Amino acid sequence: MLNKKVKDIMTTEVITTTSDIDVVYAFEKLMKHKISSLPVVEDDKLIGIITATDVGHNLILDKYELGTSVDEIMIRSVITVSPDDSLEDAIKIMKEGVSSSGILNQLPVVEDGKLVGIISDGDIIQEIF
């Protein structure tokens, strides 16, 4: 089961944002779709990611000025997987991808620099159980 490929269970209809969007609107998109991260894309290429936890926390602390764009706050070195990686590989990447703060709960799936899907810890758990 863990040798199954990421492409077999990933979500291909990925909700994304662009870097020029205001952080508040990006956060609203996260909440509306009940997702924990938004890949940032330009011309189908993944250029960053924002998470609901980071954005929400900083909005509550009033760390963003009105007009702050996604470009100013996005994580630029995004940890990703390939569609041909195994679920076991994805789990290892999720576990090792974050220092002491736990586990990544979503991984963008990238092929030739282009975003082709996303896989979450929930996708993997549903597949295993």
Side-chain angles (χ1 to χ4, degrees):
M1 198 165 301
L2 290 179
N3 59 355
K4 196 171 226 182
K5 300 290 183 194
V6 166
K7 65 184 169 190
D8 296 329
I9 69 164
M10 71 182 187
T11 300
T12 55
E13 302 281 323
V14 184
I15 299 165
T16 64
T17 189
T18 55
S19 62
D20 60 335
I21 298 296
D22 189 287
V23 171
V24 172
Y25 297 123
F27 187 68
E28 287 175 349
K29 195 175 203 180
L30 285 161
M31 296 300 99
K32 176 184 175 190
H33 295 284
K34 297 179 181 163
I35 54 177
S36 61
S37 66
L38 268 178
V40 183
V41 296
E42 301 290 339
D43 300 321
D44 293 329
K45 293 206 182 267
L46 181 69
I47 63 166
I49 196 165
I50 61 170
T51 69
T53 303
D54 290 343
V55 176
H57 178 76
N58 287 312
L59 282 172
I60 290 168
L61 295 177
D62 208 20
K63 288 194 174 182
Y64 303 137
E65 294 179 23
L66 196 58
T68 300
S69 70
V70 166
D71 182 64
E72 296 174 62
I73 60 116
M74 69 183 181
I75 300 162
R76 294 177 190 280
S77 55
V78 184
I79 298 168
T80 65
V81 291
S82 160
D84 291 319
D85 284 338
S86 70
L87 294 187
E88 184 175 3
D89 292 334
I91 292 167
K92 285 179 184 173
I93 292 167
M94 286 176 160
K95 186 176 177 192
E96 296 167 1
V98 183
S99 50
S100 61
S101 62
I103 186 169
L104 292 172
N105 56 0
Q106 290 193 353
L107 288 173
V109 183
V110 175
E111 189 170 44
D112 298 325
K114 293 193 178 218
L115 182 68
V116 295
I118 196 159
I119 187 168
S120 71
D121 52 2
D123 296 331
I124 293 169
I125 290 168
Q126 283 185 326
E127 187 63 32
I128 294 173
F129 299 102

